[in-house]
Amino acid sequence: MEAINTFLAIFVLLITLALSLSNAKIQEHEFVVQATPVKRLCNTHSAITVNGQFPGPTLEVNNGDTLVVKVINRARYNVTIHWHGIRQMRTGWADGPEFVTQCPIRPGESYTYRFTIQGQEGTLWWHAHSSWLRATVYGALIIHPMQGESYPFPKPNRETPILLGEWWDANPIDVVRQATETGGAPNVSDAYTVNGQPGDLYKCSTQGTTIVPIDSGETNLVRVINAALNQPLFFTIANHKFTVVGADAAYLKPFTTTVLMLGPGQTTDVLIKGDQPPSRYYIAARAYQSAQNAGFDNTTTTAILEYKSAPCPSKGVAAIKPLMPSLPAYNDTNTVTTFSKSLRSPRRVEVPTEIDENLFFTIGLGLDNCPPNFNSNQCQGPNGTRFTASMNNVSFVLPSNISILQALHLGVQGVFTTDFPTNPPLQFDYTGNVSRSLWQPISGTKVTKLKFGSRVQIVLQDTSIVTPENHPIHLHGYDFYVVAEGFGNFDPKKDTSKFNLVDPPQRNTVAVPVNGWAVIRFVADNPGAWIMHCHLDVHIGWGLATVLLVDNGIGLLESIEAPPQDLPLC
Ligand code: C2O
């Protein structure tokens, strides 16, 4: 009898397993990258979009699904698409950063990205990873639990993705081109947007203002994504509280707050309850600006949280004017710290405790003295210099005729060197008054090699060179635990004891505190070439990036797949 029962139990288990496996779907999509007229702020621009949509299409999948996206480039620029936060286990060829994992898709060409979502749930997004195209080429990528599984919180009545963007009343490619020519800072944006719409506080924008629905007693799961190019943003709603439940496609221990801060690249999932008098309430976002003496877009974007039961405007009566929330001051770093220190994993997690690779990377800006063959028009940075940026004093230069991953795969020499410093070449008071002689980095394509399976810790240390700033540092191909953050110079002697090795949050982008540091840990279990960079696009262009090369392990399952047949070559 017992044997039969065991047999039956195993049988049922196998059937359920097979069913859950077969539940995983393959989703096919076509992304046509093309110029599309988009009218904002009273003017129409020919913006680069996907399928004529701005923002681009929302992809919704279940954990375990496979996405197959054919990207067809009908625009006049090179393009690639990056699936921000997707781990790309063994499928690094589908990651997307131009000249890191592939050459760009040239105008008229196409490339099919193929990858499987493994063990990730929540909100991610996709965006172009070439020049400043992501200003208009981006969309949400929502990962639901596997079919038959549920959220670790009561099922919300509705869900709304909110993409915060940044809009130039100009061609963003021209904006960055001009900055590259002059060596100065690029023009700041003219508006922030919520799902592509600036909202009521901008000229010619009221008509399109984004409406987020809710009803009395309902819960709306709002998935906030900071897709802005260059600006960390505060986000709030009048009279409503957020219950934060996730970030970067990892669940969090729920906590309540009235304001979020998201660096570009970061996502935050919040529950909003319809517990206020039925009416209209502004949702608002504006800059968190930590850099000093730098211009920034100080406008405010709004959307409207609208109760379905809110009194309708009758003939001749205007709609109720929404209630405006108060936002933190632009430089309110305290609010940012309080918010980021509230993030915890829901339960004890497996953080590496022994470390094989202990890395210390400074991150910050710099100034290049005007090169002898440049004229003064090309050196319009502070005091006749050109802006630059670096990690460990290396300003990263992308290859231009092969990708790093291809060079690695084919054994092509001379594309990169593996001598990226594990520590700053010179130790100094990083957040103090740094001698001008240390403001000019060297440039190069220097990478760090990591053994498969190595347990890695990276201390990310801001510098005050030119200006201290909160840098959103994003690592491709990995999620990492943020075990600590703080201000001033990281001190291993006194700061190590404060590490949270119990329930630190898991992220793919960490907003490193202005004039401070953050410590991340992960296991290098995904072979490939993974760029780590500041997600302020202006800083990528200046070289605030590096690449981690993770070796294959043993056997097929620990090795990167073969490159796809249609991988764009240079
Ligand atoms: Cu969302 Cu390399 O970036």
Side-chain angles (χ1 to χ4, degrees):
M1 197 60 194
E2 206 162 49
I4 293 179
N5 273 341
T6 323
F7 177 78
L8 268 179
I10 292 175
F11 185 71
V12 169
L13 195 82
L14 282 175
I15 292 286
T16 344
L17 206 80
L19 273 179
S20 74
L21 283 177
S22 67
N23 263 342
K25 297 176 300 300
I26 300 179
Q27 273 197 31
E28 296 188 19
H29 296 270
E30 211 166 75
F31 272 22
V32 180
V33 180
Q34 59 187 77
T36 309
V38 178
K39 186 172 180 192
R40 292 293 183 278
L41 308 178
C42 318
N43 294 315
T44 303
H45 292 280
S46 167
I48 306 300
T49 67
V50 166
N51 300 349
Q53 291 169 246
F54 173 65
T58 297
L59 299 179
E60 282 198 62
V61 297
N62 292 96
N63 182 9
D65 287 357
T66 296
L67 271 169
V68 179
V69 186
K70 180 173 188 184
V71 177
I72 302 164
N73 186 2
R74 297 225 176 96
R76 62 190 172 102
Y77 302 109
N78 291 337
V79 74
T80 67
I81 302 287
H82 167 55
W83 317 92
H84 180 114
I86 296 282
R87 289 222 43 207
Q88 302 287 5
M89 296 299 290
R90 305 181 49 232
T91 51
W93 302 106
D95 191 41
E98 177 180 87
F99 298 117
V100 179
T101 60
Q102 67 169 96
C103 292
I105 308 169
R106 308 286 176 191
E109 305 286 312
S110 68
Y111 177 46
T112 302
Y113 294 86
R114 243 173 248 277
F115 53 89
T116 300
I117 288 98
Q118 291 183 45
Q120 298 188 288
E121 286 180 27
T123 307
L124 294 175
W125 59 302
W126 55 265
H127 61 78
H129 213 296
S130 175
S131 182
W132 274 22
L133 276 187
R134 79 170 178 86
T136 54
V137 179
Y138 62 86
L141 200 172
I142 292 166
I143 311 170
H144 296 286
M146 290 201 178
Q147 275 172 35
E149 290 185 12
S150 45
Y151 296 127
F153 44 83
K155 191 174 192 297
N157 303 83
R158 45 176 95 236
E159 302 191 6
T160 312
I162 291 213
L163 287 141
L164 303 174
E166 204 169 358
W167 180 262
W168 275 261
D169 204 3
N171 178 349
I173 302 298
D174 292 342
V175 174
V176 64
R177 192 173 286 157
Q178 189 202 349
T180 312
E181 269 162 32
T182 65
N187 291 342
V188 299
S189 55
D190 297 290
Y192 301 109
T193 54
V194 176
N195 294 348
Q197 293 291 345
D200 295 356
L201 306 186
Y202 299 87
K203 57 185 181 181
C204 307
S205 302
T206 306
Q207 287 246 308
T209 300
T210 297
I211 305 289
V212 176
I214 197 157
D215 208 357
S216 298
E218 274 189 359
T219 303
N220 191 343
L221 169 56
V222 174
R223 302 167 176 276
V224 191
I225 300 162
N226 186 350
L229 232 71
N230 295 322
Q231 195 64 55
L233 295 166
F234 287 117
F235 180 85
T236 189
I237 304 191
N239 287 21
H240 289 72
K241 283 202 176 79
F242 302 123
T243 302
V244 178
V245 293
D248 295 4
Y251 293 116
L252 292 171
K253 190 168 290 174
F255 68 96
T256 56
T257 177
T258 54
V259 60
L260 315 178
M261 195 293 284
L262 297 97
Q266 296 186 310
T267 75
T268 308
D269 289 357
V270 298
L271 299 173
I272 300 170
K273 242 184 125 52
D275 57 4
Q276 292 299 304
S279 186
R280 307 169 86 221
Y281 300 86
Y282 271 129
I283 299 172
R286 75 172 186 191
Y288 163 49
Q289 175 69 5
S290 58
Q292 290 157 16
N293 308 317
F296 69 101
D297 176 351
N298 62 1
T299 63
T300 303
T301 182
T302 55
I304 299 168
L305 182 72
E306 187 172 87
Y307 281 70
K308 285 200 290 177
S309 48
C312 277
S314 46
K315 254 213 184 94
V317 184
I320 326 166
K321 202 171 155 30
L323 200 72
M324 189 67 193
S326 63
L327 279 147
Y330 295 115
N331 62 358
D332 187 351
T333 294
N334 283 335
T335 292
V336 175
T337 310
T338 307
F339 177 69
S340 68
K341 293 212 162 164
S342 306
L343 308 190
R344 296 193 177 282
S345 284
R347 58 190 65 83
R348 176 177 270 277
V349 287
E350 261 182 60
V351 192
T353 47
E354 307 286 301
I355 295 298
D356 305 305
E357 296 287 346
N358 197 347
L359 309 171
F360 187 111
F361 294 175
T362 58
I363 53 175
L365 303 187
L367 294 179
D368 275 337
N369 295 325
C370 198
N373 51 335
F374 278 45
N375 63 43
S376 59
N377 291 332
Q378 296 167 289
C379 296
Q380 295 187 40
N383 307 314
T385 59
R386 291 176 61 86
F387 275 109
T388 181
S390 66
M391 295 176 81
N392 273 356
N393 203 46
V394 183
S395 185
F396 190 73
V397 181
L398 284 170
S400 55
N401 51 20
I402 191 169
S403 73
I404 291 176
L405 190 56
Q406 276 168 303
L408 179 75
H409 182 71
L410 301 172
V412 177
Q413 300 295 305
V415 178
F416 56 82
T417 56
T418 55
D419 57 345
F420 187 83
T422 55
N423 284 278
L426 193 79
Q427 285 186 25
F428 56 96
D429 177 3
Y430 308 111
T431 53
N433 200 346
V434 184
S435 154
R436 181 67 181 79
S437 63
L438 299 177
W439 286 27
Q440 178 159 345
I442 60 160
S443 55
T445 310
K446 295 181 186 292
V447 308
T448 304
K449 262 189 164 281
L450 294 172
K451 284 211 182 63
F452 183 91
S454 53
R455 295 157 295 184
V456 184
Q457 167 172 300
I458 307 180
V459 177
L460 297 161
Q461 171 72 57
D462 187 28
T463 78
S464 54
I465 294 173
V466 183
T467 174
E469 186 163 4
N470 180 299
H471 295 278
I473 301 295
H474 173 47
L475 173 59
H476 287 219
Y478 285 91
D479 287 323
F480 48 74
Y481 292 110
V482 184
V483 298
E485 59 171 62
F487 291 99
N489 299 324
F490 175 74
D491 176 353
K493 279 192 220 77
K494 75 180 209 301
D495 293 323
T496 309
S497 62
K498 293 182 222 145
F499 286 3
N500 176 3
L501 302 178
V502 178
D503 58 358
Q506 193 179 31
R507 306 212 69 144
N508 61 55
T509 307
V510 58
V512 178
V514 50
N515 239 328
W517 48 268
V519 182
I520 64 171
R521 286 188 178 188
F522 60 95
V523 178
D525 58 359
N526 190 15
W530 307 109
I531 187 167
M532 179 160 84
H533 62 86
C534 178
H535 217 287
L536 307 176
D537 274 21
V538 52
H539 294 176
I540 307 180
W542 291 344
L544 219 174
T546 189
V547 163
L548 306 180
L549 280 192
V550 180
D551 284 345
N552 284 331
I554 299 161
L556 227 53
L557 291 178
E558 293 184 354
S559 302
I560 189 165
E561 290 179 0
Q565 294 287 309
D566 61 341
L567 183 76
L569 303 175
C570 290

Coordinates of all heavy atoms in Angstrom, one line a residue, residues 82-85 95 97 125 127-129 134 264-265 474 476 509 531 533 535 540, ligand 1:
H82 N 18.8 46.6 -25.6 CA 19.2 45.9 -24.4 C 18.0 45.6 -23.5 O 17.1 46.4 -23.4 CB 20.2 46.8 -23.6 CG 20.5 46.4 -22.2 ND1 20.9 45.2 -21.9 CD2 20.4 47.1 -21.1 CE1 21.1 45.1 -20.6 NE2 20.8 46.3 -20.0
W83 N 18.0 44.5 -22.9 CA 16.9 44.0 -22.0 C 17.3 44.2 -20.6 O 17.9 43.3 -20.0 CB 16.6 42.5 -22.4 CG 16.6 42.4 -23.9 CD1 17.7 42.1 -24.7 CD2 15.5 42.8 -24.8 NE1 17.3 42.2 -26.0 CE2 16.0 42.6 -26.1 CE3 14.2 43.2 -24.7 CZ2 15.2 42.8 -27.3 CZ3 13.4 43.4 -25.8 CH2 13.9 43.2 -27.1
H84 N 17.1 45.4 -20.2 CA 17.7 45.9 -18.9 C 17.3 45.1 -17.7 O 16.1 45.1 -17.3 CB 17.3 47.4 -18.7 CG 17.9 47.9 -17.5 ND1 18.9 48.9 -17.5 CD2 17.7 47.7 -16.2 CE1 19.2 49.2 -16.2 NE2 18.5 48.5 -15.4
G85 N 18.3 44.4 -17.1 CA 18.0 43.6 -15.9 C 17.8 42.1 -16.2 O 17.8 41.3 -15.2
D95 N 22.4 40.3 -25.2 CA 22.3 41.4 -24.1 C 22.1 42.8 -24.8 O 21.4 43.6 -24.2 CB 23.6 41.3 -23.3 CG 23.4 42.2 -22.0 OD1 22.4 42.2 -21.4 OD2 24.4 42.9 -21.7
P97 N 24.3 45.7 -25.6 CA 25.1 46.9 -25.6 C 26.1 46.9 -26.8 O 26.8 46.0 -27.0 CB 25.9 46.9 -24.3 CG 25.9 45.5 -23.9 CD 24.6 44.9 -24.4
W125 N 12.8 46.6 -18.0 CA 12.4 47.3 -19.2 C 13.4 47.1 -20.3 O 14.4 46.4 -20.0 CB 12.3 48.8 -18.8 CG 13.5 49.5 -18.2 CD1 14.2 49.1 -17.1 CD2 14.2 50.6 -18.7 NE1 15.2 50.0 -16.8 CE2 15.3 50.9 -17.8 CE3 14.0 51.5 -19.8 CZ2 16.2 52.0 -18.0 CZ3 14.9 52.5 -20.0 CH2 16.0 52.8 -19.1
H127 N 15.6 48.9 -23.7 CA 15.9 50.2 -24.3 C 17.0 50.1 -25.3 O 17.8 49.1 -25.2 CB 16.3 51.3 -23.2 CG 17.5 51.0 -22.3 ND1 18.7 51.1 -22.8 CD2 17.6 50.5 -21.1 CE1 19.6 50.8 -21.8 NE2 18.9 50.4 -20.8
A128 N 17.1 51.1 -26.2 CA 18.2 51.1 -27.1 C 19.5 51.3 -26.4 O 19.6 51.9 -25.3 CB 18.1 52.3 -28.1
H129 N 20.6 50.7 -26.8 CA 21.9 50.8 -26.2 C 23.0 51.3 -27.2 O 24.0 50.6 -27.4 CB 22.3 49.5 -25.5 CG 23.1 49.6 -24.3 ND1 24.3 50.2 -24.2 CD2 22.8 49.2 -23.0 CE1 24.8 50.2 -22.9 NE2 23.9 49.6 -22.2
R134 N 18.1 55.8 -26.7 CA 17.1 55.4 -25.7 C 16.2 56.5 -25.2 O 15.3 56.2 -24.4 CB 17.8 54.6 -24.6 CG 18.5 55.4 -23.5 CD 18.9 54.4 -22.3 NE 19.6 55.1 -21.3 CZ 19.0 55.7 -20.2 NH1 17.7 55.8 -20.2 NH2 19.8 56.2 -19.3
P264 N 18.2 56.6 -12.9 CA 18.0 56.0 -14.2 C 18.4 54.5 -14.3 O 19.4 54.1 -13.8 CB 18.8 56.8 -15.2 CG 18.9 58.1 -14.5 CD 18.9 57.8 -13.0
G265 N 17.5 53.7 -14.8 CA 17.7 52.2 -14.9 C 17.0 51.5 -13.8 O 16.7 50.3 -13.9
H474 N 25.0 50.4 -13.1 CA 24.3 49.2 -13.6 C 25.2 48.2 -14.0 O 26.2 48.5 -14.8 CB 23.4 49.7 -14.7 CG 22.7 48.6 -15.4 ND1 22.0 47.6 -14.8 CD2 22.5 48.3 -16.7 CE1 21.5 46.7 -15.7 NE2 21.8 47.2 -16.9
H476 N 25.4 44.7 -16.2 CA 24.7 43.8 -17.1 C 24.9 42.3 -16.7 O 25.9 42.0 -16.1 CB 25.1 43.9 -18.5 CG 24.7 45.2 -19.2 ND1 24.3 45.3 -20.5 CD2 24.5 46.5 -18.7 CE1 24.0 46.5 -20.8 NE2 24.1 47.3 -19.7
T509 N 20.9 47.8 -10.5 CA 21.4 49.1 -10.6 C 21.4 49.7 -9.2 O 20.4 49.7 -8.5 CB 20.5 50.0 -11.5 OG1 20.4 49.4 -12.7 CG2 21.1 51.4 -11.7
I531 N 29.0 44.7 -19.4 CA 29.4 46.1 -19.1 C 28.8 46.5 -17.8 O 27.7 46.1 -17.4 CB 29.0 47.0 -20.3 CG1 29.5 48.4 -20.1 CG2 27.5 47.0 -20.5 CD1 29.5 49.3 -21.3
H533 N 28.2 50.2 -15.9 CA 28.4 51.6 -16.3 C 27.4 52.5 -15.5 O 26.5 52.0 -14.9 CB 28.1 51.8 -17.8 CG 26.7 51.4 -18.2 ND1 25.7 52.3 -18.2 CD2 26.2 50.3 -18.7 CE1 24.6 51.7 -18.6 NE2 24.9 50.4 -19.0
H535 N 24.4 54.8 -15.4 CA 23.2 54.8 -16.2 C 22.8 56.2 -16.6 O 21.7 56.5 -17.1 CB 22.1 54.0 -15.6 CG 21.3 53.3 -16.6 ND1 20.4 53.9 -17.5 CD2 21.2 51.9 -17.0 CE1 19.8 53.0 -18.3 NE2 20.3 51.8 -18.0
I540 N 28.2 57.8 -19.6 CA 28.7 56.6 -20.4 C 29.6 57.2 -21.5 O 30.7 56.7 -21.7 CB 27.6 55.8 -21.0 CG1 26.5 55.4 -20.0 CG2 28.2 54.6 -21.8 CD1 25.4 54.6 -20.7
Ligands
C2O1 CU1 19.9 50.0 -19.0 CU2 23.7 49.3 -20.1 O1 21.8 49.7 -19.6

